Amino acid sequence: MDVRTMCLGILSLGEASGYEIKKMLEGPLGSFFDASFGSIYPALAQLTDQGLLAMSEQAQDKRPDKKVYKITQKGRLALAEALLDKPSRDRVRSDFLASILFADLLAPRELAERLDERLAFHRAMLERLEKYRTDAAEWGTPELTAGMRFVTDYGVAIHRAALDFIEQNRHVIEAASMLRRGQAAD
Amino acid sequence: MDVRTMCLGILSLGEASGYEIKKMLEGPLGSFFDASFGSIYPALAQLTDQGLLAMSEQAQDKRPDKKVYKITQKGRLALAEALLDKPSRDRVRSDFLASILFADLLAPRELAERLDERLAFHRAMLERLEKYRTDAAEWGTPELTAGMRFVTDYGVAIHRAALDFIEQNRHVIEAASMLRRGQAAD
DNA sequence: GAAACCATGTAAGTTGTTACATGATTGG
DNA sequence: CCAATCATGTAACAACTTACATGGTTTC
């Protein structure tokens, strides 16, 4: 799924501006999809050109103009069709896990810092997801769809599992890291 | 972390060919890093040019020649330095979760199929990870480092959490999908 | 007064994938 | 005999990120 399809999908849940789409991707969707302004704005322009979106410019008080996009019937059909494609496998790239894999080359203090940061990250995500789980307004829609609830709860489950795992197993890798330091000093 | 650094890292655990590196990335590392031949081979060539790797060609019986790469001292230093960079945040892109988010647009049968496939995927990954967890030979090394064990166990924890979550919550989203079908037919 | 937020966009550059090219061997 | 595995590589292409450009407003 590319940025164009994701934008189309988000707009199928309700109208939004490019800026708001980006904010949603920093919310609960960010756990499994991300995109920069540099890909969102051109995507919206292209989709509008193709008649899959309708744009209306809204002047705002003490704010720059906002371009609000709304999915068209043609857009809904295109989205439904795109969703029929067999989903490609997940693409994950985690610097954190990579650096843990090579933890031998990391100073114990560095390692501890990374683990702490990671725990903080998961806790922050859980907190944020909790807000989204209970408050539909955070999504910019009056009501949460079943899909929204599912992916939010899924995110909670995964972040909690990661948090628990790291808390319970960090001592193993940290002990190994300190041991290796000792050997290196020999 | 780019493909070059990951190759350097894998080779810091033991020597290997490009083909073998690719196989490792389809193993437990695949959960958090993937790369195609099209990026691995040029990366190895470049690293060798820079003196970070040493290559030795090995003729094989009834097999094409193999180019075995070994990390140099200079390579180890470069890797250690690269690992000091603050790890960038995880990049995840999951078509599965995206299509669940827009599950309203999916026929109940389609949805059920995707969920089944996903469960099968997690089960397959768990099985594969179990093998890696107990058998160092699967990694191509005589001994598992603490890092290897950690990332493998981490993978087990995450896949198990995902599996459990989907098993326990699929009925919610599937019920909503069928309900919506009913409404659409009205 | 500085940083962060709101808001949109473009262009250059990076990075990596897919497809192609080659070819022997092994297992179902 | 067909598919998969072993083994390496290149080139065209796709997709995306980063940095730049602009400028008012709000919060600390």
Side-chain angles (χ1 to χ4, degrees), chain B residues 9-73:
Chain B
I10 290 176
L11 291 170
S12 82
L13 305 171
E15 39 179 68
S17 65
Y19 191 84
E20 287 162 354
I21 289 173
K22 170 73 174 152
K23 292 298 127 183
M24 290 187 89
L25 292 177
E26 284 167 5
L29 306 194
S31 307
F32 60 89
F33 201 100
D34 198 13
S36 62
F37 285 123
S39 61
I40 292 172
Y41 286 125
L44 292 173
Q46 209 189 319
L47 289 167
T48 306
D49 279 348
Q50 297 174 344
L52 308 183
L53 297 180
M55 187 266 282
S56 65
E57 219 147 348
Q58 288 181 4
Q60 287 187 113
D61 233 38
K62 306 186 176 182
R63 284 273 168 241
D65 284 6
K66 199 197 256 191
K67 290 187 176 178
V68 176
Y69 294 89
K70 191 175 174 175
I71 194 167
T72 63
Q73 198 54 39

Side-chain angles (χ1 to χ4, degrees), chain B residues 102-121:
Chain B
F102 311 126
D104 309 34
L105 298 164
L106 238 49
R109 220 173 302 168
E110 261 289 318
L111 179 59
E113 212 173 291
R114 298 226 173 154
L115 290 164
D116 288 339
E117 256 174 55
R118 187 69 170 190
L119 290 173
F121 162 72

Side-chain angles (χ1 to χ4, degrees), chain B:
Chain B
M1 169 156 322
D2 57 14
V3 176
R4 285 174 65 260
T5 311
M6 180 48 83
C7 287
L8 210 49
I10 290 176
L11 291 170
S12 82
L13 305 171
E15 39 179 68
S17 65
Y19 191 84
E20 287 162 354
I21 289 173
K22 170 73 174 152
K23 292 298 127 183
M24 290 187 89
L25 292 177
E26 284 167 5
L29 306 194
S31 307
F32 60 89
F33 201 100
D34 198 13
S36 62
F37 285 123
S39 61
I40 292 172
Y41 286 125
L44 292 173
Q46 209 189 319
L47 289 167
T48 306
D49 279 348
Q50 297 174 344
L52 308 183
L53 297 180
M55 187 266 282
S56 65
E57 219 147 348
Q58 288 181 4
Q60 287 187 113
D61 233 38
K62 306 186 176 182
R63 284 273 168 241
D65 284 6
K66 199 197 256 191
K67 290 187 176 178
V68 176
Y69 294 89
K70 191 175 174 175
I71 194 167
T72 63
Q73 198 54 39
K74 195 173 163 192
R76 268 180 210 284
L77 287 173
L79 175 60
E81 202 171 342
L83 288 177
L84 284 182
D85 291 350
K86 186 181 135 84
S88 68
R89 69 191 197 300
D90 292 10
R91 275 146 211 277
V92 185
R93 183 154 295 190
S94 172
D95 267 21
F96 165 73
L97 284 169
S99 68
I100 294 302
L101 177 60
F102 311 126
D104 309 34
L105 298 164
L106 238 49
R109 220 173 302 168
E110 261 289 318
L111 179 59
E113 212 173 291
R114 298 226 173 154
L115 290 164
D116 288 339
E117 256 174 55
R118 187 69 170 190
L119 290 173
F121 162 72
H122 286 306
R123 289 202 187 95
M125 285 306 295
L126 282 170
E127 214 172 300
R128 183 183 289 192
L129 287 171
E130 283 300 335
K131 265 200 300 188
Y132 274 89
R133 208 170 64 79
T134 53
D135 192 359
E138 301 271 352
W139 288 83
T141 46
E143 248 185 295
L144 286 193
T145 65
M148 287 172 173
R149 252 178 282 122
F150 191 92
V151 298
T152 308
D153 289 348
Y154 181 95
V156 169
I158 297 302
H159 284 292
R160 177 134 297 289
L163 190 64
D164 289 347
F165 180 83
I166 296 171
E167 274 178 344
Q168 284 163 30
N169 292 277
R170 65 179 295 174
H171 70 274
V172 180
I173 196 149
E174 289 191 288
S177 170
M178 282 186 282
L179 239 150
R180 195 158 288 262
R181 275 280 132 168
Q183 288 175 351
D186 284 352

Side-chain angles (χ1 to χ4, degrees), chain A residues 99-100 102-108 110-111 114 177 181, chain B residues 80 83-84:
Chain A
S99 68
I100 295 301
F102 310 126
D104 308 34
L105 298 163
L106 238 51
E110 261 290 318
L111 179 60
R114 300 231 168 144
S177 170
R181 276 280 133 169
Chain B
L83 288 177
L84 284 182

Side-chain angles (χ1 to χ4, degrees), chain A residues 47-83:
Chain A
L47 290 167
T48 306
D49 279 349
Q50 296 173 344
L52 307 183
L53 295 180
M55 187 266 282
S56 64
E57 218 147 347
Q58 288 181 4
Q60 289 187 116
D61 233 38
K62 307 186 176 181
R63 283 271 167 246
D65 284 7
K66 198 197 256 191
K67 291 187 175 177
V68 176
Y69 293 90
K70 192 176 175 175
I71 195 167
T72 63
Q73 197 54 39
K74 196 173 163 192
R76 266 180 211 283
L77 288 173
L79 175 60
E81 202 170 341
L83 289 176

Side-chain angles (χ1 to χ4, degrees), chain A:
Chain A
M1 170 155 323
D2 56 15
V3 176
R4 285 174 65 258
T5 311
M6 181 48 82
C7 287
L8 211 49
I10 289 176
L11 292 169
S12 81
L13 305 171
E15 41 179 66
S17 65
Y19 190 84
E20 287 162 355
I21 289 174
K22 170 71 176 154
K23 291 299 128 185
M24 289 185 90
L25 291 178
E26 285 167 5
L29 307 194
S31 307
F32 61 88
F33 202 98
D34 199 14
S36 62
F37 285 123
S39 61
I40 292 172
Y41 287 124
L44 292 172
Q46 209 190 320
L47 290 167
T48 306
D49 279 349
Q50 296 173 344
L52 307 183
L53 295 180
M55 187 266 282
S56 64
E57 218 147 347
Q58 288 181 4
Q60 289 187 116
D61 233 38
K62 307 186 176 181
R63 283 271 167 246
D65 284 7
K66 198 197 256 191
K67 291 187 175 177
V68 176
Y69 293 90
K70 192 176 175 175
I71 195 167
T72 63
Q73 197 54 39
K74 196 173 163 192
R76 266 180 211 283
L77 288 173
L79 175 60
E81 202 170 341
L83 289 176
L84 285 181
D85 291 351
K86 185 180 136 80
S88 67
R89 71 190 195 301
D90 293 8
R91 274 146 212 275
V92 186
R93 185 154 291 192
S94 171
D95 268 20
F96 166 72
L97 283 169
S99 68
I100 295 301
L101 177 60
F102 310 126
D104 308 34
L105 298 163
L106 238 51
R109 220 175 300 168
E110 261 290 318
L111 179 60
E113 212 174 291
R114 300 231 168 144
L115 290 164
D116 288 339
E117 257 175 54
R118 187 67 171 192
L119 290 173
F121 162 71
H122 287 306
R123 290 203 186 95
M125 285 306 295
L126 282 170
E127 215 173 298
R128 182 184 288 189
L129 286 170
E130 283 300 335
K131 266 200 301 189
Y132 274 90
R133 209 171 64 79
T134 52
D135 192 0
E138 302 270 354
W139 288 85
T141 45
E143 248 183 297
L144 286 193
T145 65
M148 286 171 176
R149 252 175 285 121
F150 191 92
V151 299
T152 308
D153 289 348
Y154 181 95
V156 170
I158 297 302
H159 284 292
R160 177 135 296 289
L163 191 63
D164 289 347
F165 180 84
I166 296 171
E167 275 178 342
Q168 284 161 31
N169 293 277
R170 65 180 294 175
H171 69 275
V172 179
I173 196 148
E174 289 192 287
S177 170
M178 283 187 282
L179 238 148
R180 196 159 287 265
R181 276 280 133 169
Q183 288 175 349
D186 284 351

